[in-house]
Amino acid sequence: MPATENTEITELIADVREQVLYLQELGVETLEFCGELRVENEELKTESREPLQISNLRSEISKPDAISNLRSQVPNIKPANAKPPETKPAGSRLASLPSLSKLSGSGPVRTKVDQGGPIEMENAPIILNTVELPMLPEPTETIEQIRAEIGPDCTRCKLSELGRSKVVNSTGNFNADLMFVGEAPGADEDEQGKPFVGRAGQLLTKIIESIGLTRDDVFIGNINRCRPPGNRAPETDETIACKPYLKREVAVVRPKVIVVLGATAAQNLLETKVPIGKLRGHFHDYLGVKVMPTFHPAYLLRDPHKKREVWEDMKIVRDYLNTQG
Ligand code: URA
């Protein structure tokens, strides 16, 4: 199978997996599908009206051969109006595959959630449209220009008045395939003006080395560049002021994967409230970049048993990067 198709199907599986997890979180156990499934002008009648068991679906899509199984089941499904990747408009990408949250139907959709009973969708032809998803902006600047704009004495948020000594900019390889994003600097970082140089940073170095890379190979930053007092989590206004610069840096570096460290950073980057224990272990999306949330190294210092999960996450990242050439 060509690599691009493989990637698209992998993305579909990731998307479906996320939807299934979400449905499970809502307490949905079965999906009863009573309508027609239409792809472009074709009409695919559903072969079976058996309710879909969410738990079965979840285990199916978690199997290593999920890609080939899925492909053999839907050999002819093509996204409507799909264009080859080189024709993608800047600032958006064509989602080749449907998302349950973005389905559009021409008929009335009746959704019934019956105290844990099946969801029914009647008379609802589901059109698998292509959906435009936001993408990273095209880079029009350099990391040095972004740093210069932020300046050494940034006062864009109240952290500048709350005891921060240095603005801690992202560092590392401006061309990196892999980027790490933490929450905000701690005391050591605040003193030295560099991210992840304290004890948690030393553990991060080991995590990077565990997949055969060095700190010079990767790009490391934080959602917030200034230390919050007492190492509290950054507040919303502080994050709103700072995060756009991180986004601009991501647009310049264009990493293939971002590993986001800890619940606060992961929830912030992905704009979700899902706990880190559920976010970790599989890829998410940030403007077209794959994101692997994992536990923060500072948390690992408190609970070393969690290192096993981080190692699992890093292996997924390493294996994905190895497929990217
Ligand atoms: N923790 C973070 O989240 N970032 C740092 O830079 C250091 C510790």
Side-chain angles (χ1 to χ4, degrees):
M1 190 188 306
T4 48
E5 266 183 271
N6 204 342
T7 309
E8 286 185 354
I9 293 174
T10 308
E11 279 171 7
L12 167 65
I13 291 172
D15 192 29
V16 171
R17 186 178 287 140
E18 214 168 309
Q19 304 282 0
V20 167
L21 285 169
Y22 180 59
L23 287 170
Q24 262 201 337
E25 268 169 43
L26 294 177
V28 176
E29 288 166 4
T30 59
L31 273 182
E32 197 166 300
F33 190 78
C34 314
E36 295 165 351
L37 181 63
R38 281 202 316 199
V39 180
E40 293 188 47
N41 296 322
E42 296 173 54
E43 290 198 356
L44 304 178
K45 300 277 181 209
T46 48
E47 284 170 15
S48 156
R49 287 178 183 240
E50 290 298 307
L52 256 176
Q53 290 296 331
I54 292 289
S55 53
N56 290 350
L57 182 55
R58 185 178 171 177
S59 63
E60 275 306 308
I61 58 175
S62 299
K63 288 179 188 164
D65 54 358
I67 292 180
S68 47
N69 285 345
L70 185 76
R71 191 160 175 75
S72 65
Q73 284 166 39
V74 285
N76 297 318
I77 291 186
K78 288 254 167 35
N81 311 320
K83 293 182 189 131
E86 57 273 18
T87 63
K88 280 178 191 170
S92 72
R93 72 200 136 109
L94 293 170
S96 52
L97 297 159
S99 160
L100 291 180
S101 57
K102 292 169 186 136
L103 294 172
S104 63
S106 60
V109 179
R110 187 159 72 85
T111 307
K112 192 174 85 187
V113 182
D114 226 341
Q115 298 285 317
I119 289 184
E120 289 178 14
M121 295 171 73
E122 284 182 7
N123 308 322
I126 296 171
I127 315 297
L128 302 186
N129 282 333
T130 45
V131 181
E132 298 228 333
L133 299 175
M135 281 281 278
L136 278 177
E138 292 299 324
T140 54
E141 55 194 345
T142 63
I143 297 290
E144 289 87 351
Q145 284 168 335
I146 297 169
R147 282 183 188 168
E149 186 180 318
I150 295 166
D153 305 309
C154 176
T155 54
R156 290 170 182 82
C157 85
K158 62 184 181 301
L159 290 176
S160 58
E161 297 159 11
L162 295 176
R164 86 96 213 267
S165 38
K166 288 202 174 109
V167 173
V168 177
N169 282 311
S170 315
T171 56
N173 185 335
F174 296 174
N175 223 351
D177 283 344
L178 181 57
M179 175 166 181
F180 288 83
V181 173
E183 179 181 321
D188 294 307
E189 291 77 17
D190 179 63
E191 198 186 313
Q192 296 185 40
K194 293 189 187 127
F196 282 99
V197 289
R199 279 186 69 219
Q202 285 158 21
L203 184 50
L204 177 62
T205 304
K206 288 191 183 149
I207 292 169
I208 295 166
E209 288 170 352
S210 76
I211 56 164
L213 298 172
T214 69
R215 277 181 79 116
D216 291 340
D217 294 321
V218 304
F219 193 62
I220 305 176
N222 282 301
I223 302 268
N224 273 78
R225 285 165 206 252
C226 293
R227 184 190 181 203
N231 293 343
R232 66 154 167 76
E235 292 174 355
T236 308
D237 57 321
E238 297 156 0
T239 299
I240 288 172
C242 212
K243 201 167 126 190
Y245 296 99
L246 185 76
K247 179 176 169 185
R248 282 164 59 181
E249 285 180 329
V250 175
V252 174
V253 176
R254 304 192 101 70
K256 295 190 170 120
V257 175
I258 298 173
V259 173
V260 61
L261 302 163
T264 308
Q267 291 173 345
N268 204 300
L269 191 75
L270 299 171
E271 296 181 0
T272 177
K273 290 191 164 33
V274 175
I276 183 71
K278 287 199 171 148
L279 290 174
R280 61 152 294 275
H282 57 276
F283 283 122
H284 299 259
D285 178 86
Y286 176 69
L287 303 172
V289 182
K290 289 204 175 312
V291 174
M292 174 62 75
T294 196
F295 295 122
H296 196 287
Y299 178 56
L300 299 184
L301 292 171
R302 296 194 296 275
D303 184 357
H305 291 109
K306 296 287 181 207
K307 284 182 185 170
R308 194 183 54 80
E309 277 107 317
V310 173
W311 171 231
E312 295 299 327
D313 300 340
M314 294 308 297
K315 276 193 294 182
I316 297 171
V317 169
R318 178 198 63 191
D319 293 348
Y320 175 74
L321 289 174
N322 284 343
T323 66
Q324 295 300 294

